[in-house]
Amino acid sequence: MPETRILLRWTALVAVSAALAYGLSRAHFPAALLLGPMLAAIIFGVRGAGLSLPRPLFAAAQAVIGCLVAHSATAEIAATLREDGLIIFAVVGVTVVAGALTGLALTRLRVLPGTTAAWGSSPGGAAAMVAMAEDYGADPRLVAFMQYVRVAAVVLSASLAARLLADGPGSAGAGAPGEGWSWAGLAATIAVAAAGFALASLLRLPSAPLVGPMLLGAILHATGVLDIALPGPALDAAYAAIGWYVGLRFNRRTLDETLHALPGVLAATGAIILLCGSWAWVLTYWLPIDFLTAFLATSPGGLDSVAIIAVGSKADVSFVLAVQTLRLFVVLATGPILAKWIARAVPGEAPRESS
């Protein structure tokens, strides 16, 4: 029966994910519980397993990561924005411009249509980019392909950088509130996550399941009103869910349909990461931060994955999250404008207005 086959495939995916996560953790990679499931899911997706993570589970995983970030992102983030606001805006601006130039280059070279290249090259908010792209005349399949190739490449490069640059071995949950939790604290954390999600949805904030719990939880945690409590297994499950969601977006059909664009997409992804890495190196001369912190801060998304790696390594979490969060809002605000600009900058391209 189909249900039995699906169950067997999920069982196999969980087993392969656990094996890869264990191997990566033994090699002292941060976010091993994210990397292992993501790599396993990519393999299963490309081989046509036909699996997908239900959206509510992904939203729940994002909420857990939001609470994890809230535990680490205290009032120091506000202080960081206040003290280094101009530099942070410059970091965000360089990354956004890099994405726009990449989209323009892909369009000029006729690798992809203008609007599709613009949305696919936007450095952050992958799920939101895919959701909004079709309304602006872009092919959502190509946008999803570009976005999740970039997310996977960023996770791999950021994890490798954290592994090589950290002073000591990190773990997937280092710095997380996985120890000493109580049922009362867990219930309060779940209530805050639900309230944050509802409020963010009401305000139409981007990535509401992640941003809502993160902002509300950070305020309550920083002021001492609430001590974020999350058991280790909940964090592990959230890491795995994020990895599966990203990895299972890759499938053979999408790869076959976009094979002609693959070299350009990979080159563009590598160029963005290298450009951001170079910008990170420059930042270490302007600010009293280490290269790992600068690299994670300038990495072109996604926020949840980079947050997991930052918390599990020796990076300055407050600075990384300040930059990443600000860029998420900037990218979502400028995405439609840049998409129209790129499409109009190339002869023959005509962007479609959102309905």
Side-chain angles (χ1 to χ4, degrees):
M1 294 180 65
E3 293 81 5
T4 302
R5 287 198 297 269
I6 293 296
L7 179 60
L8 290 175
R9 289 172 184 174
W10 270 110
T11 302
L13 176 58
V14 171
V16 175
S17 300
L20 289 175
Y22 176 76
L24 290 169
S25 64
R26 294 284 294 178
H28 303 301
F29 270 85
L33 290 169
L34 168 72
L35 275 176
M38 186 188 73
L39 293 174
I42 290 175
I43 296 171
F44 275 66
V46 172
R47 291 183 63 85
L51 301 177
S52 63
L53 189 75
R55 183 70 185 182
L57 291 182
F58 177 61
Q62 286 186 303
V64 171
I65 301 304
C67 291
L68 170 64
V69 171
H71 183 270
S72 301
T74 61
E76 294 178 3
I77 284 187
T80 300
L81 285 171
R82 186 169 57 252
E83 295 172 4
D84 303 314
L86 291 178
I87 295 295
I88 290 176
F89 272 102
V91 173
V92 171
V94 168
T95 308
V96 173
V97 169
L101 292 177
T102 300
L104 181 61
L106 290 174
T107 306
R108 289 279 188 182
L109 295 174
R110 301 295 180 181
V111 176
L112 292 169
T115 51
T116 298
W119 287 101
S121 301
S122 296
M129 292 295 106
V130 174
M132 292 190 295
E134 191 169 12
D135 290 336
Y136 288 87
D139 185 335
R141 295 170 301 174
L142 286 172
V143 172
F145 177 72
M146 289 183 66
Q147 285 287 338
Y148 287 101
V149 163
R150 176 183 53 77
V151 171
V154 166
V155 171
L156 292 172
S157 62
S159 295
L160 182 61
R163 171 67 183 89
L164 297 177
L165 298 174
D167 295 331
S171 63
E179 298 180 359
W181 63 276
S182 64
W183 287 107
L186 177 60
T189 300
I190 293 175
V192 168
F197 172 48
L199 183 60
S201 300
L202 184 64
L203 296 175
R204 298 183 181 274
L205 296 180
S207 300
L210 173 71
V211 173
M214 181 184 73
L215 294 179
L216 181 59
I219 292 172
L220 296 178
H221 183 75
T223 55
V225 175
L226 173 70
D227 187 16
I228 299 293
L230 290 172
L235 295 173
D236 296 345
Y239 296 154
I242 297 292
W244 288 331
Y245 183 82
V246 172
L248 290 174
R249 286 298 184 102
F250 294 83
N251 58 66
R252 186 177 298 276
R253 185 186 66 182
T254 305
L255 288 177
D256 290 342
E257 292 174 346
T258 58
L259 189 59
H260 70 284
L262 183 59
V265 170
L266 291 177
T269 301
I272 291 178
I273 293 175
L274 286 175
L275 180 59
C276 292
S278 301
W279 181 225
W281 179 73
V282 172
L283 283 180
T284 60
Y285 289 90
W286 288 358
L287 295 173
I289 58 175
D290 58 279
F291 180 73
L292 176 57
T293 295
F295 186 83
L296 292 177
T298 57
S299 291
L303 175 59
D304 43 15
S305 303
V306 173
I308 293 172
I309 296 170
V311 171
S313 64
K314 304 295 184 180
D316 183 344
V317 176
S318 62
F319 183 84
V320 172
L321 296 180
V323 175
Q324 290 283 341
T325 302
L326 179 61
R327 192 186 67 232
L328 173 63
F329 285 90
V330 171
V331 165
L332 294 181
T334 60
I337 299 173
L338 291 176
K340 293 177 182 178
W341 173 74
I342 290 173
R344 289 169 178 165
V346 178
E349 292 287 346
R352 191 179 77 201
E353 296 296 331
S354 174
S355 56

